Amino acid sequence: MVTATFQPRDTNAEAARRAAGAQPLPPQPPSLADIRRFHLTGQRPDGAVETDLLPTALTGLLQTVDPWLELPIYLPEHGGAPLGLGRLIDGLLEASKAAGQPLDLVAPMRSRLVRLVAARLDGRGWAAAGETLAAAVKEFRGQFDVSAAAAEHLDKQIAVLRAGLPKTGRLVGLGPHLPVELYVAVVGRQRARSARAFGEEVRGLVSKIDDQLRLDDLHGPEGSSAEALKASLGAGVTARLDPAALAGRLNVRRGTQRMAADRRQRLEGARKRLAIWLERTTGPQVELLVGPGVDGVAELPGARLEAVQDVLRTAAARFDAYAADLAEVHKALRTAQAELAGTWEAGSHDEALGRLSWQGLDDATLRQMPAIVAVMPAGRLRGADMGAFFALLRSGRPLHVLALDQGDDGEAAVLDPGLGYLAVAQREAVVVQSLAARPAHLAGALDKLAEAVGPALALVAVPRPSKDDERRGGLWAEAEALLAGRATPCLQFVPHAGATWADRFDLDGNPSPEDAWPVVEVPGQDGLEQGRQEFTSWQPGRVESPFEGGACGPSNTTGSPVLATLEEPFTFAHAAALQPAWRAHLWTLPQDAWNDEQVPLAEWLDAFTRVPPLTVPYLWVQGPGGRQRAVVTRELAFASRDRLRLWRTLQELAGIRNEHARRAAQAARRQALQEADAALKAMQDEHAREVEEVRATAAGEAMERLARILLDLDTLAVTPGAGSGFGSGAVSGSGPGSTPGSGSGSGAGPGADSGGQPAGASVGPSAADDAGGDEAYIDTPLCTSCNDCTRVNPLLFLYDANKQAYLGDLKTGTYLQLVTAAEKCPARCIHPGAPRPGDETATSDVVARAAKFL
Amino acid sequence: MYGLKRDWEFEQRIRSFVIEDYEGATPRWCSGCGDNTVLTAVHRLCRDEQLPPEKTVVVSGIGCSSRFPHYMKTYGFHSLHGRALPVASGVRARRPDLNIFVATGDGDCCAIGTAHWIHAVRYNMKMVVMLLDNGIYGLTKKQSSPTTPKGLTSNTHPEGTVLSPLNPLSVVLGITNVSFVAQTVDWNPAHVYATLQAAHRHPGFAFVRILQRCPHFMPGLWDPIQNDPTKLVALTHADGLPLDPALSRVFKNQAAHDPSDLMAAHRWATGQDGIPIGLLYKDTNAERYDLATVKGADMPPATRKQAVEAELDRFLI
């Protein structure tokens, strides 16, 4: 490893030389000291800041996604699901193809059409879909230079395309407007649906109250008045009869009572309250409270928008007012329901409804109030409003906070992803983190907010639109880089989604969620050049490339050889290279300044355990002649490490690369191996012991046999065909009673045992069973509940909880009843057993009848 | 639909039903009649599934078994001869919230009610249909029914019936859109219960034929198989009826049968391989007519009234 001592360049001597009229020295490559000084302090000898850094890995990253599939996004007018314009057009193309009319001329140019639409969204960030698409299609057609014959064919296809494109709705491009529009579309749609259903229920209830009150009116004298009868019967009938006379006949009441005054008062009060509610539910179902610092959010259809200063406290106060109102509506609802059902109890209803607050309302009811959302910059939540924010989360109010994370230019805290993590730590709030550049993911995340039954935070990364053209790439490309660089990781935490953390937390939407950094394939030189061109075109509305004809990096760089494809981890520093706040933290080095002290940033981070490595990290950037190294300051390297550590934490929370799980698995594996080793050793020991035993026995037997042979005592005992007779007499003779001739008559064998049993003492199990057979019983599971036995004696024959018979107290019946019931039983499940002593009904005849049921 | 969180609820909403909540009048069936088994099984099923009595309705036609609704403390409809199924279909058409049981006999269903039977199977509306098949008209003192065994003497056939009996299983299995066919025997309460439970949980028209004894007019008809359970074949399968160990001991003769196999079900229904009990056929994806008929049933009263009046206005002169 190369080490270097910091030696500042003597700039005073150089200035003196120039003052003396000497020729300037040729440009010198940065020294080791210069590079190390830059790494530690961020100061370059020339004091320059590069403005057009383009990491080579970005080109590879952007080749993996199609920006024109999801953006701009189309929002249908009447609350349909949001859909990327590219997907919408793809659907049209597929449908035409399926219908046998493939739009073969248009299909390959889909991205171009979407790009033209996106260019028309600049400025406001959104536009009416019908007009915009019509204009874009017209421009799209104008870009084709085709022969007359082909033009006719093309025009037909354009006409089909135009007919299929939506005429209403809105198109929204990438910008701060997009998450707000999506929120209104997703959450507002859900609230509107919910409000419609609730409105129907309330309307039905009001209708029933009206019926009840009208009925009560009819019970009064005015109900049968001549006027009422006339109105009721109509002119045709009353022309032939006298309503007054009829009223006189009808107005004789026999016991019909009017509704009690307090009950009528309750019903009328409830009706009035519900009617007020119904009038209100026709308005927008989303209330946007926009705080300071949020630019570009305009009035939206389906939402009330209000600019406020103290956005969180205003949101809380607004919610409290709505919630109190909703609690009153619910009281009216319950009162009406109870009164109509005739279950009103003053004791319980008055007391319970009196203490009712919004905390007691269930989720479906709470969704009847407009969604109140605080729209504010994420920076405010990290700073001045953090206390109020967490107080709001702890309050349990189902408020939504839509925090737009656009970074804080010029501050080191830019793109700090820790806010979402902090909110997750609060445990009770729904937390989603997404980015505007991925509308499909964002819409899915906002669905979680729509279902949320408590506080919720949506933290959405939105690239800040370029004001002074200080950024060179497209906003979408920057957003993708921030996602890949773990600067704004996607996460979702839904506290009510399940019992375990795995159910509640996930990292869906992140590239390569299993890895520390996504590894991208960096194309060769041609691919890089093409990528440079493409990169600029991702900026909506930009036509010319700022990179064309210009140098990338310092002018003293030397060309690098053409490079082949390689793989490179995409780190936070790669994403930061595109951000103005971080540009001064990278320095592109000429090739003659490269040395072994410089290592790729990912390797540098891997080597950083407790103390930073002594090397200088770099990342590959794109120069006009090829890849070049851009060294990274310590501050940016540490920021990358910080993002990596947070990402690792999130991974562990999501169950990815969980060190605890790995250690537990390792310990379990170790224990299993130890147990297997122990078992193996025990078996080996046992085997060795048995082998030793057999060996000793065999040796003894052999010795005995040898002795017998030598002494010629029993040579004939070993004869061919005697089977296992090798020493069998001696061995088997030791068994208990197995060789009667050789036994000592000790009676230890089984035969001796059985023989030794005292006569008359053998009451075995079968005998016991026989004794049990004397007891009366019912095979209850077979009972068919026919009531025959219970009709014989309802005290003796009882039903269990399944309505199947069992025997009660035998003293409550006679043996004759038992036998009679057994004879009647169609299931044949009654068994009378033997008669009880002293039962006079147990005659020999009855006992004989019982015999077949024993 | 809308209300308080459960722990805030103050009205007693949690109800628990016991068997007595479903018991109506005391049955007046003959001593030893198999209807008792089925009635108790339905009582137990309602209790175990905790079906609210006011959300349960039993529909019957005419016959001994059709006295069933009288013995249930639920809603009931003792309808006309052979018309249990159209009545039940009508109930189902507009009241998807009700649990519907149909009690019908072999005369009620397989003779005068045959046309309704066929179309009810095809409609596949969710209900449990119990064919209590004792093979005789018992209520009217022993006339031959379509399922009366050949040669049996009765008041209508003093010299014995001439034709072989109709096989309800084969008939049902041959109807388009059939979705659930099972068979059980009344003398085994546990199997009756398990069969009815599976039928109740089936999302469609669940047809259960119950082989049933009539001790008065058909004494001893089923004695051979009641005394020797090995003559029955208990059909078993992971998707079929659960056969607990106790039943397995009783029904030793078992055979694996996939209830999604219609052709195999046809073969079992013929009885050539033994009298099958258990689930012969099940198709949970069969089309359901009641899903179409309930449309608009949740319309608010005011809207409905308005629609009716608008319709009537068309006939104004």
Side-chain angles (χ1 to χ4, degrees):
Chain A
M1 181 175 293
V2 177
T3 57
T5 309
F6 174 62
Q7 291 180 341
R9 176 177 283 191
D10 190 352
T11 51
N12 291 334
E14 179 68 16
R17 262 176 44 77
R18 288 189 182 183
Q23 289 292 321
L25 292 172
Q28 296 294 315
S31 67
L32 284 176
D34 290 340
I35 296 170
R36 179 148 287 278
R37 180 183 178 206
F38 171 76
H39 173 63
L40 293 175
T41 66
Q43 293 177 9
R44 284 169 59 160
D46 56 4
V49 174
E50 296 171 56
T51 58
D52 48 7
L53 283 164
L54 184 61
T56 54
L58 183 68
T59 307
L61 176 72
L62 298 183
Q63 285 177 349
T64 61
V65 261
D66 179 2
W68 303 116
L69 200 60
E70 301 288 347
L71 288 168
I73 193 158
Y74 169 66
L75 303 174
E77 187 176 37
H78 298 295
L83 186 65
L85 182 60
R87 287 193 191 282
L88 191 151
I89 296 175
D90 282 352
L92 287 178
L93 297 174
E94 283 295 322
S96 298
K97 192 174 176 184
Q101 292 180 318
L103 308 183
D104 50 347
L105 293 177
V106 175
M109 311 301 286
R110 187 262 285 161
S111 293
R112 177 185 287 265
L113 174 59
V114 179
R115 210 177 288 198
L116 290 173
V117 174
R120 292 174 176 275
L121 303 180
D122 265 0
R124 290 185 303 175
W126 63 271
E131 300 163 13
T132 310
L133 287 170
V137 169
K138 192 174 178 183
E139 185 181 354
F140 177 66
R141 171 63 185 91
Q143 292 185 350
F144 283 89
D145 183 15
V146 291
S147 65
E152 186 183 350
H153 187 48
L154 177 63
D155 287 339
K156 281 183 184 171
Q157 295 198 1
I158 293 281
V160 172
L161 179 67
R162 189 182 291 130
L165 289 172
K167 309 292 183 294
T168 59
R170 287 156 73 89
L171 289 164
V172 186
L174 182 58
H177 206 61
L178 189 141
V180 183
E181 285 255 14
L182 263 186
Y183 178 91
V184 174
V186 173
V187 181
R189 188 176 70 231
Q190 187 255 25
R191 291 295 165 109
R193 196 167 49 232
S194 179
R196 271 197 302 276
F198 186 66
E200 285 295 315
E201 179 152 323
V202 172
R203 259 185 283 278
L205 201 58
V206 168
S207 169
K208 287 178 184 171
I209 296 173
D210 287 343
D211 289 344
Q212 197 74 19
L213 294 177
R214 204 176 300 121
L215 190 65
D216 188 49
D217 290 339
L218 291 175
H219 288 166
E222 62 275 15
S224 53
S225 67
E227 291 74 21
L229 288 173
K230 193 174 177 181
S232 169
L233 296 171
V237 179
T238 52
R240 291 190 290 277
L241 55 83
D242 179 9
L246 183 61
R249 296 293 301 162
L250 289 176
N251 206 12
V252 178
R253 316 213 152 267
R254 296 185 182 87
T256 305
Q257 290 183 349
R258 296 293 301 268
M259 189 186 293
D262 61 330
R263 187 175 173 225
R264 185 172 179 106
Q265 191 180 357
R266 278 193 294 272
L267 276 174
E268 286 176 339
R271 192 205 179 285
K272 189 177 173 186
R273 192 69 197 77
L274 295 175
I276 294 172
W277 174 264
L278 283 176
E279 285 174 17
R280 277 196 204 158
T281 52
T282 54
Q285 295 299 311
V286 175
E287 194 153 317
L288 295 168
L289 301 175
V290 181
V294 177
D295 302 322
V297 177
E299 194 71 35
L300 295 171
R304 264 194 300 272
L305 189 142
E306 186 179 339
V308 294
Q309 283 300 316
D310 194 350
V311 64
L312 293 178
R313 287 187 179 81
T314 307
R318 191 67 54 88
F319 170 82
D320 289 345
Y322 276 125
D325 192 41
L326 186 64
E328 289 301 316
V329 169
H330 186 74
K331 286 177 192 174
L333 200 73
R334 291 297 286 262
T335 303
Q337 286 171 334
E339 283 291 2
L340 291 174
T343 57
W344 174 272
E345 290 177 16
S348 62
H349 283 82
D350 280 337
E351 191 271 334
L353 292 179
R355 61 179 157 78
L356 182 64
S357 67
W358 68 266
Q359 282 93 342
L361 300 178
D362 67 7
D363 303 341
T365 309
L366 280 176
R367 289 197 188 101
Q368 300 315 313
M369 69 173 75
I372 299 170
V373 56
V375 185
M376 56 195 303
R380 289 288 297 262
L381 293 181
R382 294 193 185 98
D385 284 344
M386 181 171 270
F389 172 60
F390 280 97
L392 187 144
L393 294 187
R394 281 193 300 273
S395 75
R397 293 183 182 92
L399 285 170
H400 296 170
V401 177
L402 182 56
L404 305 181
D405 197 355
Q406 296 185 280
D408 301 315
D409 284 1
E411 295 180 14
V414 64
L415 306 174
D416 180 358
L419 181 62
Y421 179 56
L422 278 178
V424 169
Q426 196 275 336
R427 299 182 301 281
E428 294 301 323
V430 171
V431 180
V432 297
Q433 201 163 289
S434 185
L435 63 163
R438 293 276 182 100
H441 182 271
L442 179 56
L446 292 175
D447 260 335
K448 299 287 189 301
L449 256 70
E451 296 162 7
V453 292
L457 167 70
L459 190 58
V460 185
V462 186
R464 187 184 292 277
S466 177
K467 293 174 186 169
D468 52 1
D469 204 22
E470 62 182 350
R471 296 187 180 186
R472 310 304 301 269
L475 294 179
W476 173 82
E478 286 182 18
E480 281 296 326
L482 293 173
L483 176 66
R486 314 303 189 197
T488 56
C490 292
L491 66 86
Q492 291 185 10
F493 175 71
V494 183
H496 54 269
T500 66
W501 192 268
D503 298 325
R504 300 194 291 261
F505 186 85
D506 73 54
L507 289 178
D508 284 352
N510 291 287
S512 307
E514 305 284 334
D515 303 323
W517 309 105
V519 177
V520 298
E521 191 173 311
V522 180
Q525 186 61 33
D526 293 345
L528 286 176
E529 286 302 324
Q530 186 184 348
R532 180 199 295 273
Q533 305 291 332
E534 287 291 318
F535 177 61
T536 60
S537 67
W538 278 313
Q539 175 99 2
R542 290 283 290 272
V543 179
E544 77 287 356
S545 165
F547 294 99
E548 279 176 357
C552 180
S555 59
N556 61 350
T557 55
T558 58
S560 300
V562 173
L563 298 173
T565 300
L566 61 76
E567 288 188 337
E568 185 181 357
F570 195 97
T571 68
F572 171 74
H574 290 79
L578 303 176
Q579 301 296 320
W582 286 107
R583 280 180 191 148
H585 293 265
L586 293 122
W587 181 15
T588 307
L589 300 178
Q591 191 173 4
D592 48 7
W594 297 359
N595 59 47
D596 293 342
E597 188 191 29
Q598 299 151 10
V599 297
L601 177 59
E603 288 180 23
W604 187 88
L605 292 169
D606 286 342
F608 190 166
T609 51
R610 295 174 68 100
V611 292
L614 294 176
T615 49
V616 176
Y618 72 87
L619 48 92
W620 290 109
V621 296
Q622 189 176 342
R627 280 196 292 268
Q628 292 175 323
R629 288 180 182 181
V631 288
V632 174
T633 63
R634 188 175 188 271
E635 185 178 344
L636 180 53
F638 270 64
S640 300
R641 182 171 181 260
D642 174 66
R643 305 310 186 269
L644 180 60
R645 294 177 78 171
L646 177 60
W647 172 248
R648 293 276 197 211
T649 305
L650 295 177
Q651 279 184 313
E652 291 206 21
L653 290 177
I656 304 168
R657 301 167 60 103
N658 188 307
E659 184 59 20
H660 294 296
R662 194 191 65 78
R663 288 179 193 171
Q666 202 172 29
R669 198 177 302 118
R670 199 182 306 122
Q671 185 180 353
L673 286 173
Q674 284 172 352
E675 287 173 0
D677 285 346
L680 180 64
K681 187 169 185 315
M683 289 171 67
Q684 286 172 336
D685 291 346
E686 175 68 15
H687 178 68
R689 190 186 61 74
E690 285 177 358
V691 167
E692 189 58 36
E693 201 174 278
V694 169
R695 189 178 292 139
T697 307
E701 287 174 357
M703 285 301 293
E704 188 178 341
R705 181 168 172 249
L706 184 61
R708 286 186 180 183
I709 292 170
L710 289 175
L711 294 172
D712 198 20
L713 293 177
D714 190 13
T715 51
L716 296 178
V718 185
T719 54
S724 58
F726 188 82
S728 62
V731 176
S732 60
S734 62
S738 55
T739 51
S742 65
S744 61
S746 64
D753 277 348
S754 60
Q757 194 66 252
S762 58
V763 182
S766 61
D769 283 347
D770 289 342
D774 289 342
E775 292 288 336
Y777 71 99
I778 293 180
D779 204 348
T780 300
L782 293 180
C783 171
T784 60
S785 321
C786 67
N787 302 328
D788 284 348
C789 60
T790 56
R791 286 194 193 105
V792 171
N793 185 339
L795 296 177
L796 180 60
F797 300 100
L798 305 171
Y799 278 139
D800 64 8
N802 286 331
K803 209 186 166 190
Q804 289 182 301
Y806 69 98
L807 275 180
D809 186 354
L810 288 175
K811 292 174 189 166
T812 59
T814 64
Y815 189 66
L816 177 60
Q817 288 174 327
L818 274 172
V819 175
T820 305
E823 289 171 337
K824 283 175 173 283
C825 178
R828 301 164 197 174
C829 63
I830 299 175
H831 304 277
R836 289 188 309 114
D839 189 334
E840 294 177 353
T841 64
T843 61
S844 57
D845 179 43
V846 171
V847 171
R849 283 162 53 192
K852 58 181 175 180
F853 303 112
L854 293 177
Chain B
M1 186 176 177
Y2 305 97
L4 300 179
K5 290 189 172 79
R6 181 174 287 191
D7 50 341
W8 280 68
E9 192 55 73
F10 59 93
E11 287 174 347
Q12 182 56 263
R13 286 177 182 275
I14 299 171
R15 302 164 66 192
S16 177
F17 304 109
V18 295
I19 249 179
E20 286 74 15
D21 291 321
Y22 304 99
E23 287 181 337
T26 304
R28 296 175 61 188
W29 288 311
C30 300
S31 174
C33 177
D35 290 345
N36 292 293
T37 312
V38 185
L39 178 67
T40 305
V42 173
H43 285 160
R44 285 177 57 199
L45 179 65
C46 290
R47 189 267 319 266
D48 294 348
E49 301 285 328
Q50 288 290 294
L51 308 182
E54 75 277 9
K55 292 288 182 187
T56 305
V57 59
V58 181
V59 183
S60 68
I62 294 295
C64 291
S65 59
S66 292
R67 293 192 56 78
F68 213 102
H70 297 272
Y71 308 140
M72 296 287 294
K73 204 188 286 182
T74 64
Y75 285 112
F77 200 127
H78 192 166
S79 74
L80 300 178
H81 200 19
R83 271 62 180 176
L85 288 171
V87 169
S89 300
V91 173
R92 184 73 207 175
R94 297 304 281 174
R95 291 298 302 272
D97 55 322
L98 297 183
N99 302 286
I100 302 174
F101 294 87
V102 176
T104 183
D106 43 301
D108 190 59
C109 177
C110 306
I112 191 170
T114 311
H116 300 306
W117 178 31
I118 290 173
H119 290 288
V121 172
R122 176 173 159 257
Y123 288 171
N124 191 31
M125 293 172 140
K126 178 167 170 45
M127 62 182 73
V128 176
V129 179
M130 303 171 291
L131 172 62
L132 292 91
D133 185 1
N134 59 7
I136 200 76
Y137 283 91
L139 189 71
T140 47
K141 313 286 176 69
K142 200 175 185 183
Q143 290 82 28
S144 305
S145 85
T147 62
T148 301
K150 185 178 181 181
L152 187 109
T153 55
S154 70
N155 293 335
T156 46
H157 294 87
E159 295 183 2
T161 53
V162 180
L163 299 175
S164 296
L166 177 142
N167 185 338
L169 296 179
S170 297
V171 172
V172 174
L173 286 168
I175 298 173
T176 305
N177 210 34
V178 59
S179 75
F180 185 102
V181 182
Q183 180 161 268
T184 184
V185 290
D186 82 80
W187 55 89
N188 193 302
H191 196 266
V192 173
Y193 176 83
T195 308
L196 292 181
Q197 186 183 48
H200 170 70
R201 292 176 179 175
H202 173 68
F205 187 94
F207 180 82
V208 179
R209 182 195 187 196
I210 303 165
L211 301 181
Q212 188 173 312
R213 298 162 299 171
C214 174
H216 202 80
F217 295 113
M218 302 284 277
L221 175 65
W222 298 112
D223 275 359
I225 54 174
Q226 187 181 0
N227 295 334
D228 183 7
T230 59
K231 291 180 177 168
L232 293 169
V233 184
L235 303 180
T236 60
H237 192 269
D239 295 331
L241 282 183
L243 209 58
D244 65 29
L247 286 175
S248 285
R249 280 197 295 276
V250 175
F251 302 117
K252 292 188 173 64
N253 191 5
Q254 298 176 13
H257 166 63
D258 180 358
S260 66
D261 187 346
L262 184 60
M263 294 313 294
H266 272 290
R267 196 174 60 251
W268 279 112
T270 61
Q272 61 191 10
D273 298 324
I275 299 172
I277 58 167
L279 184 56
L280 279 85
Y281 182 67
K282 184 169 77 167
D283 177 9
T284 54
N285 296 317
E287 297 171 300
R288 281 177 57 185
Y289 192 35
D290 50 342
L291 298 185
T293 59
V294 296
K295 281 180 184 169
D298 55 350
M299 191 185 292
T303 314
R304 184 179 297 139
K305 190 177 170 188
Q306 195 178 358
V308 170
E309 284 177 356
E311 198 62 23
L312 290 175
D313 285 347
R314 293 174 53 211
F315 300 100
L316 283 178
I317 301 172

